[in-house]
C-alpha cells in the first residue's frame, strides 16, 4: 500500500508560503514516482477540521473505559446525535491517516509552536485507542522566520519539532521514519533588522529545496 496524505497548515495560502511551496514540490515528485491515484490533499487552513467538543470527549471516555476498541466498533458506543455527529467527523479522518504510507505535513512555526489548524487535526485524529501508525513515514516541512539551531539566541525555543517527534513516535512511528526539513530565517528578506541574515536564509531555503528535490526523504519508498 502506497498512499500519500499531504497536509498544509500555513494560514498564508498565497505563493509566499514557504511550507506550501515545499510541500507542493514534495507532492509533485511523489506523484511523478507513484501516480496520483493514491494521493490525498487536505488544506487545514482553507478547510479547517472542527475542534473537538463534549460529544467527542464523552464518546472517547466511553471507548477508553472499554480498553482499546477497534475503530469499526466505536459506533456501537454512541449514545446520542451529538456523538454520532462527532464520530461522523472523526472516523473518516482517522481512516485516511491509517491508510497512508506517508504523511506529509507543511508546518510553519507559529509562536514557537505549531499552527492551531494542525493541532486541531491532531486532537481530532487522536481518538482513544484508534491510532496505531506502525510503518507510516512522516515528513514534516517546516519554516520559521527566525533561527533556533545550536548557538543561536533562541536555541531551545522551538516547541514544534520536538513536539511533533514525540507525538508521532508515541503513536508508533519509528524515529528513523520521521524526517524534518526546515527552511529558517524566512523573514530575513522582509524584516530590516534581519537583513544581515539574508545569505543564511537563502542557503537554508536552497538546502530545503534540494533535500526535497533529491528525494532524501524517500529512502524507504525507492
Ligand atoms: C502567527 C504567526 C506566528 C509566528 N511565530 C513565529 C515564531 O514564533 N518564530 C519564528 O521564527 N517565526 C514565526 N513566524 C514566522 C513564520 O514562521 C514564517 O513566516 C514562516 O515562513 C511561515 O510559514 P509559511 O511561509 O509557510 O507561511 C510567525 C508567523 C505567523 C503568521
Amino acid at each position: 500500500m502506497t498512499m500519500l496524505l499531504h497536509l498544509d497548515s500555513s494560514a498564508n495560502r498565497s505563493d509566499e508560503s514557504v511550507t506550501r511551496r515545499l510541500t507542493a514540490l514534495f507532492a509533485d515528485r511523489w506523484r511523478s514516482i507513484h501516480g496520483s491515484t493514491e494521493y490525498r490533499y487536505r488544506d487545514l487552513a482553507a478547510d479547517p477540521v472542527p475542534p473537538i467538543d463534549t460529544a467527542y470527549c464523552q464518546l472517547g471516555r466511553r471507548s477508553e473505559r472499554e480498553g482499546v476498541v477497534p475503530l469499526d466498533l466505536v459506533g456501537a458506543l454512541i449514545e446520542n446525535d451529538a456523538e454520532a455527529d462527532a464520530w461522523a467527523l472523526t472516523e473518516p479522518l482517522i481512516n485516511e491517516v491509517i491508510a497512508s504510507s506517508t504523511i506529509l505535513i507543511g508546518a510553519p512555526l507559529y509562536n514557537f509552536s505549531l499552527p492551531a489548524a494542525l493541532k486541531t487535526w491532531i486532537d481530532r485524529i487522536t481518538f482513544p485507542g484508534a491510532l496505531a501508525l506502525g510503518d507510516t513515514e512522516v515528513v514534516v516541512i517546516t519554516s520559521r522566520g527566525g533561527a533556533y539551531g545550536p548557538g543561536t539566541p533562541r536555541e531551545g525555543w522551538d516547541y514544534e519539532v520536538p513536539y511533533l517527534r514525540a507525538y508521532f513516535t508515541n503513536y508508533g512511528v519509528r524515529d528513523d521514519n520521521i524526517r524534518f526539513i526546515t527552511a529558517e530565517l524566512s523573514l530575513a528578506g522582509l524584516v530590516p533588522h534581519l537583513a544581515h541574515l539574508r545569505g543564511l536564509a537563502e542557503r537554508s531555503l536552497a538546502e530545503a529545496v534540494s533535500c526535497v528535490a533529491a528525494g532524501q526523504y524517500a529512502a524507504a519508498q525507492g
Side-chain angles (χ1 to χ4, degrees), residues 10-12 16-21 107-113 143-148 154 183 186-187:
S10 172
N12 186 349
E16 288 168 340
S17 166
V18 176
T19 53
R20 285 175 183 273
R21 277 188 276 139
L109 186 70
Y110 280 0
N111 299 308
F112 310 113
S113 183
S143 167
R144 55 274 316 276
Y148 297 84
R154 290 186 175 169
S186 67
L187 289 177

Side-chain angles (χ1 to χ4, degrees), residues 20-101:
R20 285 175 183 273
R21 277 188 276 139
L22 289 170
T23 60
L25 185 63
F26 181 109
D28 285 349
R29 191 179 187 283
W30 190 93
R31 280 180 304 209
S32 74
I33 298 168
H34 300 286
S36 295
T37 334
E38 301 303 326
Y39 169 75
R40 302 276 183 284
Y41 179 66
R42 263 182 199 283
D43 187 334
L44 297 171
D47 188 14
V49 168
I52 60 170
D53 57 7
T54 303
Y56 175 103
C57 293
Q58 291 193 320
L59 184 59
R61 287 168 61 81
R62 208 169 300 127
S63 170
E64 213 152 18
R65 217 175 288 136
E66 299 286 325
V68 175
V69 176
L71 214 50
D72 54 343
L73 298 184
V74 174
L77 300 175
I78 291 172
E79 290 189 353
N80 55 49
D81 288 350
E83 290 180 8
D85 291 348
W87 189 237
L89 277 172
T90 306
E91 188 181 17
L93 293 171
I94 298 173
N95 280 328
E96 187 174 65
V97 169
I98 291 172
S100 303
S101 49

Side-chain angles (χ1 to χ4, degrees), residues 51-196:
I52 60 170
D53 57 7
T54 303
Y56 175 103
C57 293
Q58 291 193 320
L59 184 59
R61 287 168 61 81
R62 208 169 300 127
S63 170
E64 213 152 18
R65 217 175 288 136
E66 299 286 325
V68 175
V69 176
L71 214 50
D72 54 343
L73 298 184
V74 174
L77 300 175
I78 291 172
E79 290 189 353
N80 55 49
D81 288 350
E83 290 180 8
D85 291 348
W87 189 237
L89 277 172
T90 306
E91 188 181 17
L93 293 171
I94 298 173
N95 280 328
E96 187 174 65
V97 169
I98 291 172
S100 303
S101 49
T102 302
I103 304 173
L104 166 67
I105 304 176
L109 186 70
Y110 280 0
N111 299 308
F112 310 113
S113 183
L114 56 161
L118 177 56
K119 182 60 165 51
T120 304
W121 174 83
I122 287 176
D123 289 344
R124 173 77 52 185
I125 62 162
T126 317
F127 189 82
L131 212 57
L133 294 174
D135 289 333
T136 314
E137 179 187 42
V138 176
V139 179
V140 177
I141 298 184
T142 177
S143 167
R144 55 274 316 276
Y148 297 84
T152 61
R154 290 186 175 169
E155 178 181 356
W157 288 33
D158 168 11
Y159 292 94
E160 177 176 53
V161 168
Y163 165 77
L164 289 172
R165 187 184 294 286
Y167 172 77
F168 282 108
T169 52
N170 184 53
Y171 286 97
V173 177
R174 289 196 319 274
D175 204 42
D176 62 352
N177 244 352
I178 308 180
R179 285 148 229 263
F180 291 90
I181 299 169
T182 299
E184 59 181 17
L185 292 166
S186 67
L187 289 177
L190 190 69
V191 178
H193 78 265
L194 295 177
H196 63 291

